Amino acid sequence: MFVRQDPVADTPLRLVLDAAPAPIFSVDRRGRCTYINRAAAELFGYPPHLLAGQFIARLILGVSDWRECPFCPPPGLQEPPAVARFIRGDGSTFAARYTRAPLVDGDWARGTVVTLEVLPEAAAPQARLDRFFAQSPLSMVLYALDGRVLSVNDAFRRMWGFDRIDGDYSVLRDPQLIQLGVMPYVERAFAGESTLMPPICYNAAALHPAGQEHWAQAFLYPIKDADGTVREVALIHQDVSDLKRAELLARGQIEALVDTLGALAAEPMLDSFLGQVLTTIATQLGVPLAEFWLTDFEDDLSVMHMTSWHGRILMGADQPDHPGACGKPLSEARDCEVYQQVYLHRRCLVLEDVPNNPVSVPFREWAAARGGIQTMLIVPLVLADRVIGSFSVCSTEKRVFLSQEIELAQALAHQATLAVQLTRLAEQGRRSAVLEERNRMARELHDTLMQGLAGIVVQLQAATDAGVADPLDGRDHIDRARTLARRSLAEARRSVRALRPQLLEQGDLGQALADLLQQSIYDNHTEARCEVRGTPFALPAEAENQLLRIAGEALSNALRHARANRVHVELDYERPQVRLVVADDGRGFDPDRVGTDRFGLVGMRERAERIGADLRLESVPGQGTRVAVTLVS
């Protein structure tokens, strides 16, 4: 059919073109379709009236700018044939040779007539590629050059939950990709460069009501003709949701261990510490209920000591309706699964079908009032081959506890075991000695594990940030976190044995401070400087140890809490005294408003007092912190 402004307006020519077997169409000087014959309309798969007046190059070539339309030659010139890959209305493509001839009105070209010759495809390779696309286990999408979705495979449907994107969607204008900062990767692929997109969390619900959210890493590959012209872009998704969940869980585990370790050092009351551990377990594992049971060896009972219910701590004595509040005789349970696995073999046990498990019969009515317990994880507290208690982690849904979650529960159980044992020793008449040992152990653990784990948290955060730009950098940060973990473990073992810190064994105090500073700020973009003044002289081993520990705590506070950009460590030898200064430009705080529960600051003062040193702490909110320790040898 012809439109009103059709330059091929005379009836005989139109009748001839309509009947021609070759696909023919004409465009004006801006690329708008002024005529298309039946053969061309059928080839492209559009009704003729939908193409008339349209910028046809956008639909059949994926060209978005009319100035880039290849169908408009200079006035009065007959262009040689050219080859391109065209797009049908259903998204499929074909190769064709096209010839352009100008429609001249006097000396002025009013438009162009385009004649197509469809070229044969290599049937067998194309068929194999189509089967590969359809059967690939990875989610795959083919895009036209304007960013429209041409087709998706079955794996895409399984991963994202839908197979069709309605509306005027273009991956080149996707708001999520723009907000996530990965659009440059997409644009490079459409420009002809293969790209690997970093992992992102994409919510496909924005594209389709049934769309799902996944962490995905994508590879974008431009599909080119023999002459190098990009005709389509393929995008391949790899679902990395499980890896990201494991990474986030690992970070949550480390933070939970750091928090509970600090509570173990600072909290003098056993029940308060156990309550925090219960709440931490419930939060990290995403359950509403966690319980702590104690073993009464004298009466051979297992007694429910306390519960954490949606973050609220309830003591066993305050829950008379709980079947374990008065204790459950272990002698009656020696043949059941829980006793065999938890008390006899000292292993964790997962009860997957609590309502139908005979062990839970006296527990069902109480559990039903709290939403019904479906799955339970039981973790023993083992001391000297004896189970002194257990944690019960209860889920109101049927679920699988991951190995990382079970390991976290076991690590927290170890801390609870230590707290219980220390309290029992104190109750046996050696309270003052045990409390002193507990404080020493807590300080040593705080100065080794807590600072080391804080460094690991920093590296894991850096790994997440670096992974968006370059996955290889993310692996480097993870390797560094692993190295810090090994160092922290080795240092913790040495500290518990009351030996000199490893750093001091490798050199003098000045070198140890420099090494400690480098380990603390390693690759977290903090400007650091260590300066030793005067002529070093020998100090007692205990004095060097305590000065190094004070410096470590000050550095940990500067990097972990104050978020300092610059840290300066100064060691000044001026007989008969030695002066250690750690200064930062972090957020600072009001020293007069610091509570006694700030174990790190309390520990620094105690260490200074132990060696007879004077510690001065200066800090102003927004202006940084300065810790100065003066020791007269």
Side-chain angles (χ1 to χ4, degrees), residues 128-168:
R128 287 197 297 269
L129 288 175
D130 291 342
R131 287 196 300 272
F132 170 76
F133 178 81
Q135 299 174 12
S136 171
L138 297 176
S139 167
M140 300 180 68
V141 192
L142 285 181
Y143 293 104
L145 293 184
D146 61 353
R148 290 182 298 117
V149 175
L150 298 178
S151 60
V152 301
N153 66 354
D154 289 338
F156 178 95
R157 300 180 183 95
R158 291 192 298 269
M159 178 174 175
W160 298 104
F162 64 98
D163 59 3
R164 185 176 181 85
I165 301 177
D166 299 324
D168 188 25

Side-chain angles (χ1 to χ4, degrees), residues 225-269:
D225 286 327
D227 61 356
T229 302
V230 178
R231 59 183 176 90
E232 295 168 345
V233 173
L235 184 147
I236 305 172
H237 296 110
Q238 181 181 7
D239 190 348
V240 295
S241 299
D242 290 342
L243 293 176
K244 293 302 294 186
R245 280 194 291 269
E247 178 187 331
L248 295 174
L249 179 60
R251 186 180 306 147
Q253 289 177 344
I254 291 173
E255 292 174 351
L257 289 171
V258 170
D259 291 341
T260 54
L261 189 59
L264 173 62
E267 180 54 67
M269 300 300 294

Side-chain angles (χ1 to χ4, degrees), residues 291-476:
E291 299 180 334
F292 175 62
W293 293 67
L294 270 175
T295 304
D296 183 344
F297 294 101
E298 183 176 348
D299 295 327
D300 198 29
L301 296 174
S302 179
V303 182
M304 194 281 296
H305 185 67
M306 69 169 59
T307 64
S308 172
W309 172 247
H310 288 289
R312 182 186 176 190
I313 300 299
L314 301 171
M315 302 303 296
D318 299 329
Q319 303 177 74
D321 59 330
H322 194 292
C326 297
K328 298 173 62 176
L330 291 173
S331 58
E332 299 176 4
R334 298 194 190 281
D335 294 330
C336 76
E337 182 183 17
V338 173
Y339 184 88
Q340 292 289 326
Q341 293 295 322
V342 177
Y343 286 88
L344 187 60
H345 298 294
R346 300 180 292 280
R347 299 173 184 164
C348 294
L349 174 66
V350 177
L351 297 178
E352 298 179 348
D353 189 10
V354 173
N356 297 318
N357 194 304
V359 175
S360 63
V361 171
F363 184 66
R364 288 175 188 168
E365 183 177 349
W366 185 88
R370 287 153 181 79
I373 305 303
Q374 299 293 325
T375 311
M376 182 182 296
L377 168 64
I378 304 175
V379 183
L381 277 64
V382 182
L383 179 67
D385 295 331
R386 301 180 74 187
V387 177
I388 64 172
S390 64
F391 285 137
S392 294
V393 182
C394 308
S395 172
T396 55
E397 300 176 352
K398 292 185 177 180
R399 59 167 293 176
V400 175
F401 288 100
L402 302 177
S403 60
Q404 299 97 323
E405 295 174 321
I406 296 176
E407 289 171 2
L408 172 62
Q410 289 176 313
L412 293 172
H414 293 330
Q415 293 187 3
T417 302
L418 175 61
V420 170
Q421 180 62 7
L422 288 174
T423 302
R424 285 182 174 180
L425 290 175
E427 292 172 353
Q428 292 173 2
R430 294 181 291 163
R431 179 178 298 273
S432 59
V434 172
L435 287 178
E436 175 63 24
E437 180 64 7
R438 176 182 176 182
N439 287 336
R440 185 194 71 78
M441 292 175 63
R443 279 194 296 271
E444 296 296 337
L445 289 172
H446 178 273
D447 291 337
T448 55
L449 282 181
M450 198 166 186
Q451 293 173 16
L453 290 173
I456 295 172
V457 171
V458 171
Q459 290 299 327
L460 287 176
Q461 182 62 51
T464 301
D465 296 338
V468 175
D470 188 345
L472 293 178
D473 285 347
R475 293 195 195 99
D476 291 340

